[in-house]
């Protein structure tokens, strides 16, 4: 058997988490070095895997071991271009989250080990091809995120953490039911084998509904989104970055990996409904973002809006739309990561997130102000930056599909509304004369710039040369569509 | 010929070098930006000569595939052909003039480096736009220009007015850009590609062509500030004047016209879209011209004049002559940038933009006033200055197409144009001097103006040559049309002189306002567009957004909290979380699997109803189970 690269990528952070925890708070300095090293090595392994990845090779680096033979549960890992994009995002953002929270003083051993434990779950979800394994990773993610919010969060952290936990758990209960139903019907937990099983459409409809609840809460889709702003506002910066950057994508990944290939007939039936919810999420999220007075809440609601474009692309079930969906997933991780990092860095200095109290960043701290403006333009979908690629392709795909034109046009209006809330933020926070909270603060440190630069670079690379991302996602998308057509 | 790529690349590189630097370092590297645009100018002239004598298709093309999707490839490419060759020279000549001029105009600004960086990025985007061989590339450059426009309008962002003007400009043009995005989606769905060759040779049905054309027209109306999306351009004058000259007069605002020229076969396939374009142009040319008559801010006069002149280009397009539109685009780019640069010198000298506080500048600023005269006469349409020839060509096309009503409106707009030009001229240059301490501009500012003034004075003689180059005929003006338009122009100037020019008995404009309060009110309030948009669109959206935010917190989240509260009371215990729930869920999964395994036999019945029952049962079981464990 080949070197189990995926297993190492998934479980190396678990080892790291254990070491960091054992070192304890007394040796926290050593602990965070271990954490950073493990995360960097993990990222390097992902890069190494990417360099050996055959873009047209379908599912690769397959590892399959019997786990619970009585019911056919296997330890089954594999990766395709779509999963690779998500794992890369997870590994990169974990490194940056660790570096960004380098100076954590409250219980640092637990903090860094929780970040690494979170990476185990995130990496695992995207490469698990056995339903039970997938579900284990899916739920595993909840635990460290719960602690990250509940321990290091803001004043209402308990409420936000419990709400986050219960809401997503509520969704995953239905997903579990769907998994069981599928197993009972097909006799396997193998996600890939189930695709194209030609299940009865009526049955598909019900299972789709169950999965929909599980995934839609995670994305989140209107009206199941209210856990998100609370979680973001209370979460510490690094947790917000990973929550928005990776955790939300688990939901849309579920649609792409599971709902579409396994339940194609139901997906076709549900597509208009999903497109409608997507369009509503886009416009509703944008409008509510516009009215926010708290920077973090604004970015949180912008996520609802952006993730709407993911759902629109998925609902289109066209090559353009699905590529667009994955591109938005990736870009949103990068750009929103940047935004949350920057809001956090501003908060560290001004001790406020209230938009009304922060102004004139570009005069006082030009690097921070400039990067916040850059991230804002990336977020509002300026062509040449990554945000445009996915939103544009989602719209193009949606237009070419059977989705009613009205929903597509409504979604397009979301692009305008994104410009409105983002520029209105820039207007008040970045431009103008420095406010009392801003005057006297120091600009970004070298460490903070180092956290942001990789994200800036990715935003530009993907925005200018789409194939840097799409060369990985397009073959995966084509195989999803082929599975749907084969049903 | 791959060096053509350098034409947009040089200013782009100047931006890449300047942007990340500190304020002080940027300021030192300003010459680099100027050198880059001069380099582009040299290469553009070389490119123009490479196309010469023109008359046929592209001489060079290069493209790069940026994406593979399914079995399609998305490419971005550049192509050098007569139209792009002409536009290259226009953009680089005006761009170079503006950059040299700005050395003098902006030398006191401590953020001059940032100004030059953005100006460079803008120039790069505009050059990429005119060279682009496909609609997607054109759109991307178009949006980057919008960003630069935003950044330059808001250059003095510490002040409220530029801040508000910049966001207004970005969002208003973005409204139009939605049309562009949707047009691209339709084009891709129909033709499967974005490149001009494929899209324009596609067999468009009238219906789809109309859809695409109208969406693109909407985009063009935003970018080229046509009614009713014109409201951003007058406010955009809050930016530095040389930037206004380049972006908000000569180049970016003409991009809308350029888009329609590029997509012209689709407009022709539609037919009705051309008629709508014509009327958009007519309404804009006249209404904006009327507004230019009542402005006191010299830049606002020029801004409304730009809107009105862009309207003339839309008239040409609507009448079916993309060549006439392009011709006017070219002449307008030179004479209007000249007027803006002149206005910059005037504003520096007079320390005000209000024409009521100016006067007698002709004696004090001799070079500026001569150059300004060249531009003014061109704008008014006096032979032999450039605007005369291109405006005449538009009027001739209208007559040729038997569009007599349109001809009359256009002629009226021309009359109005001449009037407001005269009003501006007499107020600023010949009215009694109100200030003593007036200084002519620095040489770095005067040289570019003289260059543009000379071009404006002579370019009209090359109309037919330009037509040959483009492969379309541009005839010398017919004597009849020329006579009519000259009478209109002279009439406008005479009236302007009568009201504002005479020393002895200046007409009491105050009395006119009192005599026609309603008409004046409509004009003074700019036809109430800004008030309407401000109240209904901006105000409405803000109210809606706040209402939705409240709805989200109270209702959507209220339901969630309500369910949670109900759940809590049901389980009769507080949710003090201790990790057991996770175990519970995982164990629940396992036991459910086990339980379900026993039930496999039942499933062999195959009835949908039993599956549904099973799912419902499982959900109930799990929920109850978690409740028990959680408590």
């Amino acid at each position: 058997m080949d070197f189990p690269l995926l297993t190492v990528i998934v479980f190396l952070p678990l080892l790291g988490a254990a070491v960091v925890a054992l070192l304890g708070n007394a040796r926290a300095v050593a602990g965070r070095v271990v954490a950073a090293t493990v995360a960097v090595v993990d990222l390097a392994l992902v890069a190494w895997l990417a360099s050996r990845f055959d873009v047209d090779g379908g599912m690769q680096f397959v590892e399959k071991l019997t786990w619970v033979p009585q019911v056919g549960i296997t330890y089954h890992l594999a990766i395709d271009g779509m999963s690779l994009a998500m794992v890369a995002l997870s590994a990169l953002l974990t490194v940056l989250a660790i570096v960004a929270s380098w100076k954590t003083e409250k219980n640092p051993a637990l903090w860094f080990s929780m970040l690494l434990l979170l990476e185990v779950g995130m990496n695992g979800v995207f490469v698990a091809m056995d339903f039970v394994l997938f579900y284990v990773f899916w739920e595993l993610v909840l635990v460290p995120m719960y602690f990250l919010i509940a321990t290091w969060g803001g004043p209402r952290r308990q409420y936000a953490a419990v709400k986050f936990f219960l809401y997503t758990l509520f969704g995953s209960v239905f997903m579990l039911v769907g998994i069981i139903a599928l197993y009972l019907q097909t006799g396997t937990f193998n996600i890939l084998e189930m695709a194209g099983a030609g299940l009865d459409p009526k049955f598909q409809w019900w299972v789709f509904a169950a999965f929909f609840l599980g995934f839609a809460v995670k994305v989140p889709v209107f009206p199941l989104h209210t856990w998100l702003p609370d979680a973001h506002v209370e979460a510490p910066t690094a947790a917000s970055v990973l929550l928005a950057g990776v955790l939300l994508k688990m939901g849309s990944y579920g649609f792409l990996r599971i709902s579409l290939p396994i339940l194609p007939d139901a997906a076709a039936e549900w597509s208009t409904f999903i497109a409608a919810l997507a369009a509503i999420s886009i416009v509703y999220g944008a409008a509510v973002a516009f009215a926010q007075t708290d920077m973090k809440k604004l970015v949180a609601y912008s996520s609802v809006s952006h993730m709407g474009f993911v759902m629109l692309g998925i609902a289109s079930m066209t090559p353009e739309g699905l590529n667009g969906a994955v591109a938005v997933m990736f870009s949103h991780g990068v750009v929103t990561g940047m935004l949350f990092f920057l809001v956090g860095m501003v908060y560290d200095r001004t001790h406020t997130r209230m938009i009304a109290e922060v102004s004139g960043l570009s005069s006082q701290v030009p690097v921070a102000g400039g990067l916040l403006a850059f991230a804002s333009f990336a977020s509002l979908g300026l062509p040449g930056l990554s945000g445009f690629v996915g939103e544009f392709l989602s719209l193009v795909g949606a237009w070419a599909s059977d989705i009613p034109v009205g929903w597509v046009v409504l979604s397009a209006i979301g692009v305008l509304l994104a410009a409105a809330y983002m520029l209105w933020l820039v207007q008040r926070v970045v431009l103008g004369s420095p406010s009392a909270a801003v005057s006297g603060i120091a600009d970004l440190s070298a460490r903070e710039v180092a956290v942001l630069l990789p994200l800036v670079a990715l935003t530009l690379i993907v925005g200018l040369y789409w194939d840097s991302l799409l060369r990985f996602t397009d073959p995966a998308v084509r195989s999803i569509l082929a599975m749907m057509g084969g049903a | 010929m791959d060096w053509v790529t350098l034409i947009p690349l040089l200013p782009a590189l100047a931006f890449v070098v300047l942007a990340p630097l500190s304020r002080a370092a940027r300021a030192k590297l300003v010459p680099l930006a100027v050198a880059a645009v001069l380099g582009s100018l040299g290469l553009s002239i070389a490119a123009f000569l490479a196309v010469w004598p023109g008359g046929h298709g592209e001489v060079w093309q290069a493209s790069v595939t940026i994406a593979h999707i399914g079995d399609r490839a998305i490419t971005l490419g550049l192509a050098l052909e007569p139209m792009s060759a002409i536009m290259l020279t226009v953009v680089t000549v005006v761009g170079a003039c503006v950059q040299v001029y700005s050395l003098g105009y902006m030398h006191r600004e401590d953020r001059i480096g940032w100004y030059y960086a953005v100006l460079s990025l803008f120039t790069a985007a505009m050059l990429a736009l005119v060279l682009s061989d496909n609609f997607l590339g054109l759109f991307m450059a178009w949006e980057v220009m919008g960003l630069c426009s935003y950044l330059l309008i808001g250059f003095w962002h510490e002040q409220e007015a530029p801040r508000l003007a910049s966001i207004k400009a970005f969002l208003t043009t973005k409204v139009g850009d939605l049309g562009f995005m949707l047009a691209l989606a339709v084009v891709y769905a129909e033709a499967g590609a974005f490149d001009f060759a494929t899209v324009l040779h596609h067999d468009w049905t009238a219906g789809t062509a109309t859809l695409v054309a109208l969406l693109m027209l909407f985009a063009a109306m935003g970018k080229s500030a046509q009614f009713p999306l014109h409201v951003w351009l007058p406010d955009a004058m809050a930016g530095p004047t040389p930037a206004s000259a380049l972006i908000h007069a000569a180049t970016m605002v003409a991009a809308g016209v350029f888009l329609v020229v590029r997509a012209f076969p689709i407009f022709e396939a539609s037919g009705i879209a051309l008629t709508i374009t014509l009327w958009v142009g007519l309404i804009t040319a006249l209404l904006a011209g009327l507004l230019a008559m009542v402005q006191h801010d010299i830049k606002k006069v020029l801004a409304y004049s730009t809107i009105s002149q862009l309207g003339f280009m839309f008239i040409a397009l609507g009448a079916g002559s993309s060549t006439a539109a392009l011709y006017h685009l070219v002449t307008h780019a030179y004479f209007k940038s000249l007027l803006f640069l002149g206005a910059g010198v005037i504003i520096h000298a007079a320390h005000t933009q209000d024409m009521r506080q100016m006067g007698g500048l002709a004696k004090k600023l001799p070079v500026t006033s001569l150059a300004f005269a060249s531009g003014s006469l061109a704008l008014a349409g006096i032979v032999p200055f450039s605007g005369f020839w291109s405006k005449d060509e538009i009027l001739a096309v209208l007559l040729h197409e038997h569009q007599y009503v349109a001809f009359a409106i256009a002629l009226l707009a021309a009359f109005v144009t001449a009037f407001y030009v005269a009003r501006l001229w007499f107020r600023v240059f010949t009215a009694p001097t109100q200030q003593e301490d007036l200084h002519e501009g620095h040489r770095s500012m005067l040289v570019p103006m003289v260059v543009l003034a000379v071009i404006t004075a002579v370019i009209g003689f090359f109309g037919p040559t330009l037509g040959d180059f483009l492969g379309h005929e541009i005839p010398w003006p017919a004597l009849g049309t020329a006579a009519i338009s000259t009478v209109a122009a002279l009439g406008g100037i005479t009236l302007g002189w009568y009201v504002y020019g005479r020393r002895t008995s200046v007409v009491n404009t105050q009395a006119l306002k009192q005599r026609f309060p309603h008409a004046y009110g409509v004009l003074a309030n700019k036809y109430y567009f800004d008030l309407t948009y401000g109240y209904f669109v901006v105000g409405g959206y803000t109210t809606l957004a706040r209402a939705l935010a409240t709805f989200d917190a109270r209702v959507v989240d209220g339901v969630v909290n309500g369910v949670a509260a109900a759940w809590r009371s049901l389980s009769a215990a507080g949710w003090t979380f201790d990790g057991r729930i996770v175990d519970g869920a995982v164990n629940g999964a396992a036991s459910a699997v086990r339980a379900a395994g026993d039930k496999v036999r039942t499933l062999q019945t195959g009835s949908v109803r039993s599956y549904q029952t099973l799912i419902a049962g499982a959900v109930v079981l799990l929920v109850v189970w978690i409740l028990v464990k959680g408590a």
Side-chain angles (χ1 to χ4, degrees):
Chain A
M1 192 180 168
D2 292 334
F3 179 69
L5 187 53
L6 284 178
T7 297
V8 176
I9 286 174
V10 172
F11 288 105
L12 180 66
L14 183 63
L15 184 69
V19 173
V20 173
L22 287 175
L23 284 170
N25 286 334
R27 279 162 292 176
V29 176
R32 72 186 183 194
V33 173
V34 170
T37 311
V38 165
V40 169
V41 169
D42 209 55
L43 178 62
L45 288 174
V46 174
W48 188 52
L49 185 149
S51 72
R52 293 174 55 205
F53 187 83
D54 172 11
V55 289
D56 294 315
M59 281 291 169
Q60 295 161 56
F61 298 90
V62 180
E63 296 171 33
K64 205 168 173 185
L65 298 170
T66 309
W67 185 12
V68 187
Q70 292 83 349
V71 280
I73 300 173
T74 55
Y75 175 80
H76 183 184
L77 304 183
I79 195 165
D80 67 351
M82 178 172 73
S83 291
L84 178 56
M86 291 301 111
V87 172
L89 194 61
S90 152
L92 173 69
L93 288 178
T94 303
V95 172
L96 300 181
I98 288 172
V99 176
S101 58
W102 200 241
K103 303 240 167 98
T104 301
E105 283 167 6
K106 182 178 173 185
N107 205 345
L110 188 61
W111 167 262
F112 288 110
S113 58
M114 281 300 151
L115 283 181
L116 289 174
L117 186 61
L118 185 61
E119 188 182 7
V120 177
M122 297 189 302
N123 289 353
V125 160
F126 296 123
V127 295
M129 296 301 154
D130 178 278
F131 257 126
V132 176
L133 194 59
F134 174 84
Y135 188 80
V136 169
F137 285 125
W138 179 280
E139 299 293 33
L140 171 62
V141 166
L142 292 184
V143 181
M145 185 51 80
Y146 170 84
F147 281 109
L148 288 174
I149 298 173
T151 311
W152 290 271
R156 291 173 73 234
R157 56 182 181 267
Q158 290 293 342
Y159 168 76
V162 171
K163 187 173 182 180
F164 157 78
F165 194 97
L166 288 182
Y167 213 140
T168 39
L169 192 68
F170 160 81
S172 40
V173 168
F174 290 95
M175 182 174 95
L176 182 63
V177 171
I179 291 174
I180 295 163
L182 277 177
Y183 171 72
L184 296 179
Q185 185 70 4
T186 63
T188 176
F189 282 112
N190 186 325
I191 294 175
L192 302 174
E193 277 175 17
M194 269 187 218
L199 301 164
D200 176 57
K202 204 84 190 207
F203 172 76
Q204 282 191 30
W205 196 96
W206 284 100
V207 177
F208 194 99
F211 278 113
F212 177 86
L213 278 174
F215 298 146
V217 167
K218 203 84 169 178
V219 167
V221 176
F222 173 89
L224 307 173
H225 64 278
T226 52
W227 62 270
L228 183 74
D230 280 319
H232 271 308
V233 167
E234 300 307 322
T237 299
S240 280
V241 169
L242 292 170
L243 181 58
V246 186
L247 263 60
L248 306 189
K249 280 70 188 184
M250 289 164 53
S252 48
Y253 174 85
F255 278 105
L256 288 163
R257 176 70 71 217
I258 293 164
S259 302
L260 259 53
I262 299 178
L263 311 162
D265 299 317
E269 263 188 75
W270 278 70
S271 78
T272 301
F273 175 70
I274 293 177
L277 282 186
I280 292 169
S281 296
I282 289 170
V283 172
Y284 182 88
V288 178
F290 185 80
Q292 294 309 312
T293 52
D294 176 318
M295 278 188 263
K296 246 184 154 178
K297 241 181 176 162
L298 187 150
V299 180
Y301 276 104
S302 85
S303 292
V304 176
S305 185
H306 287 300
M307 292 306 285
F309 279 100
V310 175
M311 297 312 296
L312 182 73
I314 290 173
S316 81
M317 296 173 204
T318 57
E320 291 77 18
L322 294 197
N323 273 304
V326 185
V328 176
M329 285 157 68
F330 188 84
S331 168
H332 178 261
V334 171
V335 174
T336 306
M338 223 175 341
L339 284 170
F340 275 125
F341 274 133
L342 278 158
V343 169
M345 290 165 186
V346 170
Y347 177 79
D348 289 344
R349 290 161 169 78
T350 60
H351 308 292
T352 179
R353 288 187 312 258
M354 301 314 288
I355 295 169
E357 293 170 19
V358 179
S359 76
L361 287 177
S362 75
S363 302
Q364 177 67 29
V365 283
V367 177
L371 286 171
L372 183 53
F374 175 85
S376 301
F377 278 101
S379 176
L380 68 82
L382 188 79
L385 304 178
S386 61
F388 172 71
V389 182
E391 294 186 357
F392 178 70
L393 289 177
S394 290
L395 283 173
V396 167
W399 187 278
S401 74
D402 297 333
I403 295 171
V405 173
W407 297 122
V408 185
V409 173
L410 191 64
S411 304
I413 290 171
V415 176
L416 172 69
L417 301 184
Y421 65 73
M422 248 19 270
L423 286 186
W424 187 227
L425 176 73
V426 169
Q427 192 89 340
R428 292 173 290 173
V429 170
V430 178
L431 304 180
S433 305
S435 60
V438 170
S439 51
I441 65 170
D443 211 336
L444 301 187
S445 67
R447 177 174 57 84
E448 289 170 319
V449 173
V451 167
L452 296 168
L453 275 189
L455 301 176
V456 172
L458 275 177
T459 306
L460 284 165
I461 291 168
V462 174
L464 291 171
Y465 184 61
W466 304 4
D467 258 355
S468 57
L469 177 65
L470 298 188
R471 64 192 289 266
F472 292 104
T473 64
D474 185 54
V477 160
R478 269 184 287 164
S479 104
I480 291 170
L481 289 171
M483 287 181 224
M484 295 182 69
Chain B
M1 290 235 3
D2 285 343
W3 50 264
V4 175
T5 317
L6 285 175
I7 296 175
L9 207 57
L10 286 178
L13 286 174
F15 170 77
V16 171
V17 171
L18 285 175
L21 297 177
S22 71
R23 191 174 290 180
R26 271 187 206 138
K28 285 203 189 92
L29 283 176
V30 161
L32 185 79
V34 181
V37 75
L38 289 175
S40 291
L41 171 61
L43 291 172
S44 295
I45 292 170
F48 184 83
L49 294 176
V51 179
W52 188 265
H56 37 72
E58 67 188 35
V59 298
W60 171 84
Q61 196 269 344
S63 61
V64 53
T65 302
I66 59 159
H68 292 86
I69 292 167
D71 45 12
R72 287 169 174 175
I74 294 179
T75 59
L76 292 182
L78 305 178
L80 183 65
E81 35 76 52
M83 188 155 60
S84 53
I86 286 175
M87 291 301 293
L88 284 182
T89 54
V90 173
V91 174
T92 51
V93 166
V94 177
C97 284
V98 163
Q99 291 219 0
V100 172
Y101 177 97
S102 299
L103 288 173
Y105 192 86
M106 300 292 285
H107 78 279
R108 288 219 184 95
E109 293 294 329
D110 56 349
R111 285 189 294 129
I112 187 173
W114 175 242
Y115 170 81
Y116 269 90
V118 178
L119 216 52
S120 299
L121 179 63
F122 171 79
T123 310
M126 187 73 204
L127 292 169
L129 180 136
V130 300
L131 276 172
S132 177
D133 75 345
N134 71 85
F135 285 110
L136 179 63
L138 199 157
F139 177 66
M140 293 175 76
W142 169 290
E143 291 282 293
V144 173
M145 293 195 309
L147 165 70
C148 298
S149 164
Y150 166 85
L151 293 172
L152 286 172
I153 295 168
F155 183 74
W156 289 299
H157 64 82
E158 291 86 354
Q159 299 162 29
E160 183 79 16
R163 267 208 311 274
L164 290 177
S166 65
I167 197 169
K168 180 173 178 181
F170 195 92
L171 292 182
T172 312
T173 50
K174 196 89 186 169
V175 171
D177 295 352
L178 295 185
F180 208 148
M181 271 185 95
L182 290 172
L184 289 176
V186 183
V187 161
Y188 191 79
E190 285 289 314
F194 295 116
D195 62 288
F196 295 148
T198 311
V199 173
L200 298 181
H201 290 114
H202 181 74
D203 190 16
W204 292 98
T205 62
T208 325
T210 300
L211 178 62
V212 174
L214 290 182
L215 287 169
M216 285 190 175
L217 175 65
F218 192 59
M221 287 161 64
K223 207 67 160 179
S224 293
Q226 298 296 290
F227 276 67
L229 295 178
H230 65 286
V231 291
W232 65 272
L233 189 59
D235 290 27
M237 297 299 120
T241 304
S244 306
L246 179 63
I247 298 177
H248 305 120
T251 55
M252 184 186 84
V253 288
V257 177
F258 186 77
L259 169 67
V260 179
V261 173
R262 282 292 194 210
F264 211 59
I266 303 177
F267 280 74
E268 287 175 324
S270 156
I272 181 81
L274 282 178
T275 310
I276 295 172
T277 308
L278 174 68
W279 282 96
V280 166
L282 286 167
I283 291 168
T284 306
L286 184 61
L287 292 190
L290 291 173
L291 287 185
M293 292 182 355
V294 298
Q295 301 301 314
H296 297 298
D297 181 325
I298 184 169
K299 283 186 77 178
K300 290 260 164 97
V301 176
L302 294 178
Y304 280 110
S305 160
T306 303
I307 297 172
S308 169
Q309 293 298 306
L310 290 164
F312 272 98
M313 297 173 212
F314 278 79
I315 294 172
L317 293 167
S321 174
S322 61
T323 312
L326 195 68
Y327 188 20
H328 199 56
L329 192 166
V330 171
T331 62
H332 176 259
Y334 288 123
F335 73 68
K336 188 53 69 64
S337 57
L338 165 62
L339 290 172
F340 266 103
L341 294 186
V345 176
I346 292 166
I347 293 165
H348 259 194
H351 302 292
T352 177
Q353 299 187 186
D354 191 332
M355 298 193 298
R356 286 168 296 190
Q357 295 166 30
M358 298 176 184
L361 268 60
K363 282 181 208 146
K364 304 272 186 175
L365 312 175
V367 182
T368 301
S369 53
L370 269 179
F372 208 91
S374 173
S376 299
L377 292 169
L379 175 56
I382 301 297
V383 71
F385 294 89
S386 64
F388 164 77
W389 309 89
S390 51
K391 197 184 291 177
D392 235 57
E393 173 62 13
I394 294 171
L395 293 172
V397 168
L398 287 174
L399 276 187
H400 182 262
E401 297 293 322
H402 307 291
Q403 296 275 11
Y404 300 114
V405 178
F407 178 84
I409 297 173
L411 198 65
L412 181 59
F415 170 82
V416 168
T417 305
F419 174 81
Y420 69 69
V421 169
R423 171 177 178 264
L424 188 157
W425 176 267
F426 290 119
R427 276 192 152 180
V428 173
F429 289 98
T430 66
T433 311
Q434 301 190 29
Q435 292 165 296
E436 280 312 308
D437 192 27
L438 293 164
H439 295 290
E440 180 65 289
H442 185 264
R443 199 179 307 145
S444 65
M445 293 156 75
L446 297 182
V447 171
M449 285 165 56
V450 171
V451 170
L452 292 170
V454 172
I455 293 175
T456 297
V458 302
I459 195 173
F461 295 103
F462 298 96
T465 320
L466 181 82
D468 291 342
F469 186 76
L470 288 168
H472 296 280
E473 197 191 358
I474 297 182
W476 292 105
L479 206 56
T481 341
I484 297 172
S485 81
T486 302
V487 167
L490 287 176
I493 290 177
T494 310
L495 184 64
W497 169 78
Y498 183 79
V499 180
Y500 298 100
R502 293 180 303 156
R503 283 287 162 88
T504 44
S505 68
V506 173
V507 170
N508 189 346
T509 50
Q510 211 57 42
L512 275 177
K513 283 177 203 168
Q514 278 157 11
R515 179 126 179 240
F516 304 104
H518 295 296
Y520 183 79
V522 168
L523 288 180
N525 286 298
K526 302 169 282 184
Y527 310 116
Y528 301 98
F529 274 106
D530 284 275
L531 289 172
T532 312
Y533 290 166
Y535 187 78
F536 289 104
V537 181
V538 179
Y541 179 62
T542 309
T543 311
L544 174 74
R546 292 210 180 111
L548 283 179
T550 311
F551 171 77
D552 197 65
R554 299 249 174 89
V555 181
V556 184
D557 202 31
V559 169
V560 175
N561 285 330
V563 169
W567 192 327
R568 237 186 349 250
S569 50
L570 256 179
S571 62
W575 280 99
T576 44
F577 179 79
D578 59 1
R580 278 183 297 164
I581 293 168
V582 186
D583 294 339
V586 176
N587 293 341
S591 51
V593 167
R594 256 179 273 118
D598 301 334
K599 293 269 182 189
V600 171
R601 283 166 287 117
T602 325
L603 277 152
Q604 305 300 331
T605 58
S607 107
V608 174
R609 183 183 295 266
S610 76
Y611 301 157
Q612 292 166 0
T613 317
L614 178 83
I615 293 165
V619 171
V620 170
L621 276 174
L622 279 166
V623 170
V624 170
W625 202 79
I626 286 167
L627 277 172
V628 171
K629 288 296 275 186

